[in-house]
Amino acid sequence: MKHLEGKITVVTGATRGLGKGIAIALGEVGATVYITGRTLERSTSDDGVSGSLQETQLAVEQAGGVCIPIQVDHSDDEQVRLLFERIQDEQGQLDLLVNNAYAGVQALTDAAGKPFWESEPSLWDACNNVGLRSHYVASIFAARMMTPHQQGLICTISSWGSLSYIFSPPYGAGKSACDRLVADMAIELKPQNIASLSIWPGIVGTEKFTQFAANMDERAAAEPKNSAIKEKYNWETPLLTGRVIAALTADSTVMRRSGRVQIVAELANHYGLVDKNGERSVSLRSLRFLLPLVFPALRKYPWLVPNINVPWSLLLLKSLSSPKIGAAE
């Protein structure tokens, strides 16, 4: 069903990974998808993982959408301004912006296993220039296009790293800031009937993460949490995040969700969506994920564990690395 036919959308950072999956999913339902990234033609990066705008364009078109690739470095504000100026000239409207561009993956990989003080200060910029600041800049230009029409949706890809420690302090700080940016933008966008959402995927089998899991050594894989990664337990594909965002774009009640964190697996269940393989993952706060994570024997029998989500209040109490409020005793 082409229920997004005629909708003009932008997905930043779409050469591979989540951005590529999101673009393909929008193409499935007939959207016109502008995609951005630094690599236009097919190439293989230093990490051995290929990805380009042209490859994503082909995949979107094969899925039934219209795709327009534009080479953009999101660390350059002028290139971003020209991107939205071009969309305005060519389309005269914008219905959806997906803030996905992120430049910190290689820096985080290089810093893996090191405390923050053993990394260079540039790790902060690698995580939060293209990945936080760039989201703000793109949202500015998107909102300028959306406000005259009094409609639109801005989705910012964030992470469970906003809630508790993952990878490094600069990563967590950046994701927490993304969620706060989304919430505060929602307040100012509400009178314009524009929704601002923070999107939390689960464990996504991107090209890079799949490579990471395959290269995990035996000692690391022996840890229960790491063994779940090695086994690809409860993984999602990038396509699922895209299908959820497509459903949100078509949802006439999406303003009710504005300013809040939205979990991909929970929305997929709400909208009745399945992943590329026909399966449906569970939320990372579901007992069906958490108990098998700790007790690996349960992973073969997940249906024995109830699919009940742990309340946010308990998650915040349990998250020992989250900021504490209160006087010292």
Side-chain angles (χ1 to χ4, degrees):
M1 182 178 178
K2 305 293 186 179
H3 58 266
L4 290 189
E5 197 163 6
K7 296 291 186 180
I8 309 303
T9 66
V10 177
V11 182
T12 70
T15 57
R16 61 186 184 184
L18 269 171
K20 183 176 182 178
I22 293 167
I24 293 170
L26 292 171
E28 285 182 335
V29 289
T32 296
V33 191
Y34 283 80
I35 57 171
T36 72
R38 291 178 297 177
T39 304
L40 180 61
E41 299 178 351
R42 180 180 176 85
S43 65
T44 301
S45 62
D46 294 339
D47 57 16
V49 179
S50 68
S52 71
L53 292 173
Q54 290 182 349
E55 290 173 82
T56 301
Q57 178 187 16
L58 179 61
V60 172
E61 291 173 346
Q62 288 175 340
V66 175
C67 187
I68 303 168
I70 303 180
Q71 197 169 19
V72 175
D73 180 348
H74 280 270
S75 67
D76 185 334
D77 294 355
E78 180 63 10
Q79 290 188 37
V80 179
R81 184 190 69 79
L82 291 173
L83 162 70
F84 287 94
E85 184 178 279
R86 174 174 168 177
I87 298 170
Q88 176 65 47
D89 291 342
E90 293 178 354
Q91 307 293 341
Q93 71 180 72
L94 179 62
D95 300 286
L96 168 69
L97 165 67
V98 181
N99 284 316
N100 172 73
Y102 189 69
V105 174
Q106 190 58 51
L108 287 169
T109 301
D110 294 341
K114 298 179 184 177
F116 72 89
W117 60 88
E118 292 183 5
S119 298
E120 294 302 316
S122 58
L123 178 60
W124 176 275
D125 301 303
C127 289
N128 297 318
N129 185 9
V130 176
L132 173 59
R133 186 185 184 278
S134 62
H135 296 344
Y136 176 64
V137 173
S139 297
I140 288 173
F141 294 113
R144 289 176 183 176
M145 289 188 65
M146 292 174 176
T147 49
H149 301 277
Q150 294 284 289
Q151 65 84 37
L153 171 61
I154 298 175
C155 290
T156 298
I157 303 299
S158 186
S159 160
W160 293 82
S162 171
L163 183 66
S164 61
Y165 180 88
I166 300 178
F167 302 132
S168 75
Y171 178 84
K175 295 307 179 183
S176 294
C178 282
D179 292 346
R180 185 72 209 189
L181 175 65
V182 164
D184 287 357
M185 289 195 307
I187 293 172
E188 296 187 1
L189 290 170
K190 184 177 180 180
Q192 309 298 325
N193 194 41
I194 299 169
S196 170
L197 308 179
S198 181
I199 307 296
W200 285 13
I203 303 172
V204 184
T206 62
E207 300 91 340
K208 186 71 175 178
F209 198 73
T210 299
Q211 183 186 66
F212 167 76
N215 294 334
M216 188 180 293
D217 62 48
E218 292 184 8
R219 179 180 294 181
E223 296 290 331
K225 292 182 180 179
N226 289 337
S227 67
I229 294 174
K230 190 75 171 179
E231 296 170 16
K232 301 184 179 181
Y233 175 67
N234 199 56
W235 277 28
E236 300 168 2
T237 76
L239 191 68
L240 185 65
T241 297
R243 287 176 173 171
V244 162
I245 290 175
L248 288 166
T249 306
D251 189 340
S252 61
T253 67
V254 71
M255 283 299 298
R256 298 177 186 174
R257 299 180 180 274
S258 191
R260 302 177 183 177
V261 166
Q262 306 294 320
I263 297 172
V264 167
E266 295 177 22
L267 285 177
N269 183 63
H270 172 75
Y271 288 118
L273 302 171
V274 295
D275 208 337
K276 182 179 182 180
N277 51 16
E279 296 180 358
R280 185 174 291 162
S281 58
V282 296
S283 173
L284 299 193
R285 67 183 180 120
S286 170
L287 292 179
R288 186 170 290 177
F289 170 76
L290 293 171
L291 290 180
L293 182 68
V294 179
F295 304 105
L298 289 173
R299 293 173 196 165
K300 295 181 179 179
Y301 315 100
W303 59 87
L304 296 177
V305 183
N307 187 15
I308 299 174
N309 292 328
V310 176
W312 282 110
S313 56
L314 292 181
L315 283 179
L316 291 171
L317 286 174
K318 183 64 176 175
S319 182
L320 300 178
S321 56
S322 63
K324 305 299 187 296
I325 299 175
E329 296 181 357

